[in-house]
Amino acid sequence: MHSVLSQEIPSFEPHLDNSSFRIVKLDVSDHIDFDHHEAVYRCQDDESGLIAFIGIHNRNRGPAVGGCRMWNYQSEADAITDVLRLSKGMTYKNSVSSLAFGGGKAVIYGVPTANKRESVLEAFGRFVNALEGRYYTAEDVGISPKDMSIVKRNTNFVYGLSEISGDPSPFTAFGVYQGIKAACEKKYGSDSLQGKRVLVQGIGHVGYYLCEYLHQDGAQLLVCDLNEKACEKAKNDFDAEIVFSDQLFGLAIDIYAPCALGGTLSAEFVNQFTGDIVSGAANNQLVTPAIGDLIHEKGVLYAPDYVINAGGIINISFEPDYSSVAAKQRVAKIRTTLRDLFERSESENVPTYRVADEMALENLKQ
Ligand code: NAD
């Protein structure tokens, strides 16, 4: 079947340098999450113990760019599922943000012990390098800027080094803040956050910076995190009210900003939600796409996750001639993208998450 995602894929087999370091291209065409992916590679290095996967979803807009996740997966099958979903997600995120990047992602199967970490990351660098620039890596869950410097020893196909664009979280938070302003404009006719009750769930790298912006803008913050210290800090720094996970249902708030892990927007949550706006940094917020329809029917304004949380990847796109000022200006445009998206959703009566997909696919054709 022809699709916008169809692409001419020249055949490519990575160079294998010896028998203890092996890269194979996997046939995953019958996987439920396979969607015109260009390739999925598996690498095993016997010396370091590295097992990793790189998924290249689509390169119509440029080389595949997306972070590397290091995680203790239950099985290799779970890691493959993750790399397929995440690499596809990067195609949509990069495309809707009009970046000259395609979609790709890497996962390292298992968190190594401290004494093995360096050699695992070096071997991962060799894996990335063997793909000859088809995929550029960066940080994701479980990986720090320091880790990326180790990966860089064996490949130049790395973004987000601490000495160049650095930690993406402040830029992601700034983009989410701009997105919340766009949502307020649409819902309330004004972008003012004065007195708005905003629940920020997850006061980590992104959540904390977001609280700072919202507090400065006059929002009344409610914070929820499994980490008590993170909550206490937000209470002290931003006069935030601490709420516990079992108190979230029926909470009197205007705006919900999910900034912890994904999957918080379930039917159960949406049905009891009394606020007006959902807009936060977490990836994959909708438990299923149908929840996006439910949110729309309820009249709640949802800022699609991969549109509002693109600040970090936009920041990276300014490498190698990096300028934080130029990057921040570009991240601010998330507000315009969301404004257009909300208008289109209203005029066509289509849920916002579907409009986001349509916009991403339209950009992919260009
Ligand atoms: P982080 O790990 O620094 O922070 C996450 C916080 O959420 C932690 O403080 C953790 O204790 C808390 N948390 C986890 N589960 C929770 C739960 N059930 N209830 C309440 N709190 C919980 O991560 P981050 O870098 O701030 O990223 C936050 C989210 O934004 C993630 O979903 C991430 O994938 C997404 N994201 C981050 C970036 C970025 O630039 N860091 C970019 C795009 C998307």
Side-chain angles (χ1 to χ4, degrees):
M1 188 184 74
H2 180 74
S3 147
V4 178
L5 290 167
S6 302
Q7 52 188 331
E8 285 294 321
I9 302 168
S11 73
F12 168 73
E13 289 297 334
H15 169 70
L16 313 180
D17 44 17
N18 66 47
S19 60
S20 71
F21 183 82
R22 301 179 295 281
I23 299 174
V24 291
K25 190 172 175 180
L26 303 179
D27 179 3
V28 284
S29 52
D30 58 353
H31 194 288
I32 192 164
D33 291 301
F34 180 82
D35 181 13
H36 300 86
H37 283 72
E38 176 177 324
V40 175
Y41 298 99
R42 178 186 186 277
C43 176
Q44 179 159 354
D45 175 45
D46 294 341
E47 270 174 44
S48 64
L50 171 82
I51 293 179
F53 299 88
I54 291 178
I56 297 180
H57 179 245
N58 185 285
R59 289 189 294 139
N60 282 4
R61 292 189 65 87
V65 182
C68 170
R69 180 167 289 191
M70 185 186 267
W71 196 253
N72 283 323
Y73 292 96
Q74 297 278 326
S75 64
E76 285 199 31
D78 285 355
I80 292 169
T81 299
D82 216 22
V83 90
L84 284 169
R85 287 183 186 164
L86 292 167
S87 56
K88 176 180 170 181
M90 287 312 299
T91 298
Y92 281 74
K93 184 187 286 203
N94 292 338
S95 179
V96 84
S97 306
S98 301
L99 301 178
F101 289 163
K105 202 92 180 183
V107 303
I108 293 179
Y109 180 65
V111 180
T113 53
N115 62 333
K116 285 264 182 182
R117 193 174 180 97
E118 190 168 343
S119 54
V120 162
L121 291 165
E122 281 182 344
F124 175 67
R126 286 168 66 200
F127 182 18
V128 172
N129 206 50
L131 301 187
E132 299 176 357
R134 286 165 178 79
Y135 165 71
Y136 281 66
T137 198
E139 288 159 52
D140 195 68
V141 176
I143 296 281
S144 68
K146 196 172 146 227
D147 292 331
M148 273 299 131
S149 313
I150 300 171
V151 173
K152 173 86 167 67
R153 289 176 194 161
N154 287 326
T155 183
N156 283 324
F157 306 121
V158 175
Y159 279 122
L161 295 165
S162 39
E163 62 275 22
I164 311 181
S165 68
D167 180 8
S169 311
F171 292 86
T172 304
F174 181 63
V176 173
Y177 168 62
Q178 293 298 328
I180 291 176
K181 301 278 275 179
C184 286
E185 228 168 49
K186 181 74 196 159
K187 202 72 191 172
Y188 306 123
S190 154
D191 72 355
S192 170
L193 280 154
Q194 196 63 42
K196 291 280 180 291
R197 283 172 62 82
V198 187
L199 168 66
V200 182
Q201 183 183 28
I203 315 299
H205 288 98
V206 178
Y208 183 84
Y209 288 114
L210 178 63
C211 285
E212 203 166 28
Y213 283 118
L214 298 172
H215 177 65
Q216 280 166 5
D217 215 340
Q220 206 181 323
L221 290 175
L222 295 89
V223 294
C224 172
D225 197 296
L226 301 178
N227 177 348
E228 272 178 44
K229 280 192 185 151
C231 289
E232 285 299 333
K233 185 160 168 52
K235 183 181 173 185
N236 292 334
D237 296 353
F238 312 122
D239 202 17
E241 182 186 328
I242 299 174
V243 290
F244 298 99
S245 298
D246 58 0
Q247 297 174 327
L248 299 187
F249 278 33
L251 202 62
I253 50 171
D254 302 301
I255 301 166
Y256 168 49
C259 296
L261 299 183
T264 57
L265 297 176
S266 60
E268 208 186 359
F269 182 87
V270 172
N271 282 329
Q272 59 73 44
F273 183 66
T274 56
D276 304 310
I277 292 168
V278 175
S279 46
N283 277 313
N284 302 324
Q285 293 170 26
L286 303 172
V287 169
T288 63
I291 305 295
D293 299 322
L294 185 64
I295 292 174
H296 181 72
E297 282 156 23
K298 233 188 132 166
V300 171
L301 189 57
Y302 168 62
D305 43 21
Y306 67 78
V307 183
I308 196 170
N309 73 14
I313 192 89
I314 292 171
N315 184 47
I316 276 174
S317 75
F318 280 79
E319 291 192 18
D321 302 319
Y322 182 68
S323 150
S324 63
V325 174
K328 199 167 177 186
Q329 281 171 355
R330 180 68 184 71
V331 172
K333 291 192 175 159
I334 286 177
R335 184 164 174 167
T336 322
T337 306
L338 278 170
R339 202 182 274 152
D340 294 347
L341 190 155
F342 292 149
E343 287 307 320
R344 185 160 153 182
S345 164
E346 185 180 61
S347 65
E348 296 174 9
N349 192 22
V350 172
T352 54
Y353 82 97
R354 285 210 222 159
V355 177
D357 285 358
E358 286 169 14
M359 287 168 73
L361 292 173
E362 283 159 14
N363 282 355
L364 212 56
K365 284 186 209 162
Q366 289 170 16

